[in-house]
mmCIF file of all heavy atoms in Angstrom:
data_model
loop_
_atom_site.group_PDB
_atom_site.id
_atom_site.type_symbol
_atom_site.label_atom_id
_atom_site.label_comp_id
_atom_site.label_asym_id
_atom_site.label_seq_id
_atom_site.Cartn_x
_atom_site.Cartn_y
_atom_site.Cartn_z
ATOM 1 N N TYR A 320 -10.058 7.639 -4.115
ATOM 2 C CA TYR A 320 -11.419 6.899 -4.247
ATOM 3 C C TYR A 320 -11.185 5.656 -5.153
ATOM 4 O O TYR A 320 -10.246 5.519 -5.831
ATOM 5 C CB TYR A 320 -12.424 7.824 -4.824
ATOM 6 C CG TYR A 320 -12.236 8.333 -6.196
ATOM 7 C CD1 TYR A 320 -12.667 7.623 -7.295
ATOM 8 C CD2 TYR A 320 -11.557 9.550 -6.466
ATOM 9 C CE1 TYR A 320 -12.472 8.100 -8.649
ATOM 10 C CE2 TYR A 320 -11.318 9.980 -7.700
ATOM 11 C CZ TYR A 320 -11.772 9.278 -8.813
ATOM 12 O OH TYR A 320 -11.558 9.744 -10.119
ATOM 13 N N GLU A 321 -12.180 4.749 -5.015
ATOM 14 C CA GLU A 321 -12.091 3.528 -5.804
ATOM 15 C C GLU A 321 -13.003 3.656 -7.041
ATOM 16 O O GLU A 321 -14.133 4.189 -6.899
ATOM 17 C CB GLU A 321 -12.576 2.315 -4.935
ATOM 18 C CG GLU A 321 -11.483 1.731 -4.111
ATOM 19 C CD GLU A 321 -11.704 0.380 -3.615
ATOM 20 O OE1 GLU A 321 -12.265 -0.478 -4.413
ATOM 21 O OE2 GLU A 321 -11.442 0.090 -2.477
ATOM 22 N N ARG A 322 -12.557 3.201 -8.181
ATOM 23 C CA ARG A 322 -13.333 3.198 -9.415
ATOM 24 C C ARG A 322 -13.073 1.916 -10.130
ATOM 25 O O ARG A 322 -11.977 1.717 -10.531
ATOM 26 C CB ARG A 322 -12.953 4.417 -10.250
ATOM 27 C CG ARG A 322 -13.647 4.568 -11.650
ATOM 28 C CD ARG A 322 -13.062 5.794 -12.369
ATOM 29 N NE ARG A 322 -13.732 5.991 -13.627
ATOM 30 C CZ ARG A 322 -13.347 5.447 -14.747
ATOM 31 N NH1 ARG A 322 -12.274 4.638 -14.782
ATOM 32 N NH2 ARG A 322 -14.026 5.748 -15.876
ATOM 33 N N ASP A 323 -14.074 0.986 -10.217
ATOM 34 C CA ASP A 323 -13.914 -0.258 -10.891
ATOM 35 C C ASP A 323 -12.750 -1.005 -10.374
ATOM 36 O O ASP A 323 -11.869 -1.492 -11.164
ATOM 37 C CB ASP A 323 -13.761 -0.028 -12.440
ATOM 38 C CG ASP A 323 -14.949 0.682 -13.049
ATOM 39 O OD1 ASP A 323 -16.054 0.544 -12.475
ATOM 40 O OD2 ASP A 323 -14.761 1.384 -14.023
ATOM 41 N N ASN A 324 -12.624 -1.083 -9.033
ATOM 42 C CA ASN A 324 -11.499 -1.810 -8.415
ATOM 43 C C ASN A 324 -10.134 -1.145 -8.534
ATOM 44 O O ASN A 324 -9.073 -1.699 -8.038
ATOM 45 C CB ASN A 324 -11.345 -3.260 -8.866
ATOM 46 C CG ASN A 324 -12.572 -4.067 -8.447
ATOM 47 O OD1 ASN A 324 -13.118 -3.872 -7.324
ATOM 48 N ND2 ASN A 324 -13.051 -4.916 -9.336
ATOM 49 N N ASP A 325 -10.087 0.020 -9.164
ATOM 50 C CA ASP A 325 -8.832 0.796 -9.208
ATOM 51 C C ASP A 325 -8.849 1.815 -8.075
ATOM 52 O O ASP A 325 -9.892 2.343 -7.698
ATOM 53 C CB ASP A 325 -8.710 1.544 -10.523
ATOM 54 C CG ASP A 325 -8.532 0.621 -11.716
ATOM 55 O OD1 ASP A 325 -7.921 -0.427 -11.494
ATOM 56 O OD2 ASP A 325 -9.061 0.943 -12.807
ATOM 57 N N LEU A 326 -7.659 2.077 -7.532
ATOM 58 C CA LEU A 326 -7.509 3.118 -6.488
ATOM 59 C C LEU A 326 -6.990 4.369 -7.198
ATOM 60 O O LEU A 326 -5.857 4.357 -7.707
ATOM 61 C CB LEU A 326 -6.589 2.664 -5.382
ATOM 62 C CG LEU A 326 -6.640 3.496 -4.055
ATOM 63 C CD1 LEU A 326 -7.940 3.161 -3.321
ATOM 64 C CD2 LEU A 326 -5.506 3.248 -3.187
ATOM 65 N N VAL A 327 -7.786 5.378 -7.186
ATOM 66 C CA VAL A 327 -7.471 6.628 -7.989
ATOM 67 C C VAL A 327 -7.110 7.726 -6.962
ATOM 68 O O VAL A 327 -7.888 8.026 -6.051
ATOM 69 C CB VAL A 327 -8.618 7.074 -8.869
ATOM 70 C CG1 VAL A 327 -8.182 8.314 -9.626
ATOM 71 C CG2 VAL A 327 -8.980 5.939 -9.850
ATOM 72 N N LYS A 328 -5.934 8.370 -7.152
ATOM 73 C CA LYS A 328 -5.507 9.443 -6.286
ATOM 74 C C LYS A 328 -5.520 10.710 -7.170
ATOM 75 O O LYS A 328 -4.839 10.725 -8.269
ATOM 76 C CB LYS A 328 -4.093 9.233 -5.733
ATOM 77 C CG LYS A 328 -3.547 10.316 -4.875
ATOM 78 C CD LYS A 328 -2.211 9.912 -4.282
ATOM 79 C CE LYS A 328 -1.694 10.865 -3.238
ATOM 80 N NZ LYS A 328 -0.401 10.412 -2.673
ATOM 81 N N VAL A 329 -6.235 11.740 -6.769
ATOM 82 C CA VAL A 329 -6.368 12.980 -7.539
ATOM 83 C C VAL A 329 -5.810 14.073 -6.718
ATOM 84 O O VAL A 329 -6.288 14.368 -5.568
ATOM 85 C CB VAL A 329 -7.873 13.241 -7.930
ATOM 86 C CG1 VAL A 329 -7.908 14.587 -8.645
ATOM 87 C CG2 VAL A 329 -8.393 12.114 -8.799
ATOM 88 N N ILE A 330 -4.760 14.766 -7.219
ATOM 89 C CA ILE A 330 -4.137 15.868 -6.527
ATOM 90 C C ILE A 330 -4.555 17.140 -7.243
ATOM 91 O O ILE A 330 -4.224 17.340 -8.419
ATOM 92 C CB ILE A 330 -2.623 15.712 -6.532
ATOM 93 C CG1 ILE A 330 -2.203 14.468 -5.776
ATOM 94 C CG2 ILE A 330 -1.958 16.975 -5.873
ATOM 95 C CD1 ILE A 330 -0.761 14.030 -5.951
ATOM 96 N N ILE A 331 -5.288 17.961 -6.521
ATOM 97 C CA ILE A 331 -5.865 19.202 -7.133
ATOM 98 C C ILE A 331 -5.106 20.375 -6.589
ATOM 99 O O ILE A 331 -4.967 20.560 -5.334
ATOM 100 C CB ILE A 331 -7.339 19.327 -6.776
ATOM 101 C CG1 ILE A 331 -8.128 18.037 -7.142
ATOM 102 C CG2 ILE A 331 -7.985 20.543 -7.525
ATOM 103 C CD1 ILE A 331 -9.532 17.969 -6.611
#
Side-chain angles (χ1 to χ4, degrees):
Y320 62 90
E321 279 198 41
R322 177 183 184 268
D323 301 333
N324 294 321
D325 293 328
L326 198 74
V327 182
K328 183 176 185 178
V329 177
I330 299 168
I331 308 167

